[in-house]
């Protein structure tokens, strides 16, 4: 896989992970606007999201590129035969099941 393709795959995975973390916060803002969540609870949820976002940042900054590409492929459903042949043991440890 070329570096540009790897970068695009990692970016797509980063977007997915971040948006999944943002969705509950978005719902909290809607609940706050509806008056069902008080402001102090919303600010606590913002704080918790910030901590989660820091974890995401660390994962993407400090995980080795090859491992990050493999995780992205797994989470995005793009594992191919070459990945299974080379990293099958690792994918199995991560709970990957070949659905073919």
């Amino acid at each position: 896989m070329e570096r540009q393709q790897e970068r695009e795959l990692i970016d797509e995975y980063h977007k997915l992970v971040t948006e999944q973390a943002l969705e509950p916060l978005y719902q909290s803002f809607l609940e706050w606007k509806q008056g069902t969540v008080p402001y102090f609870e919303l600010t606590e949820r913002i704080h918790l999201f910030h901590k989660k976002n820091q974890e995401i940042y660390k994962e993407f900054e400090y995980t080795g590129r090859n491992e990050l590409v493999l995780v992205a492929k797994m989470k995005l459903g793009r594992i191919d035969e070459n990945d299974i042949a080379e990293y099958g043991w690792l994918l199995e440890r991560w709970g990957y099941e070949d659905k073919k």
Side-chain angles (χ1 to χ4, degrees):
M1 181 177 267
E2 294 178 26
R3 295 288 270 181
Q4 179 62 29
Q5 289 175 314
E6 288 179 351
R7 182 76 247 155
E8 289 170 3
L9 183 71
I10 291 169
D11 288 347
E12 184 179 348
Y13 176 52
H14 185 269
K15 181 179 184 284
L16 173 72
V17 170
T18 304
E19 287 180 348
Q20 287 175 339
L22 277 169
E23 185 59 35
L25 184 60
Y26 172 72
Q27 293 303 319
S28 294
F29 272 95
L30 294 176
E31 293 169 3
W32 169 69
K33 271 307 215 190
Q34 294 168 353
T36 57
V37 169
Y39 78 92
F40 56 87
E41 190 171 327
L42 177 63
T43 59
E44 178 60 24
R45 292 178 188 181
I46 292 168
H47 175 69
L48 292 174
F49 167 77
H50 177 66
K51 289 169 77 174
K52 176 65 178 168
N53 197 45
Q54 287 176 322
E55 291 171 20
I56 292 169
Y57 173 82
K58 288 177 191 174
E59 177 183 347
F60 280 82
E61 284 300 310
Y62 300 115
T63 301
R65 186 178 187 89
N66 290 341
E67 185 178 344
L68 191 55
V69 168
L70 191 60
V71 169
K73 287 174 120 183
M74 187 177 80
K75 297 293 185 175
L76 296 170
R78 302 214 184 121
I79 295 291
D80 61 30
E81 308 254 339
N82 293 335
D83 298 321
I84 293 170
E86 188 170 353
Y87 300 108
W89 62 274
L90 184 56
L91 291 166
E92 190 176 304
R93 276 179 90 187
W94 292 346
Y96 176 78
E97 293 181 25
D98 190 10
K99 307 232 187 321
K100 293 180 182 174

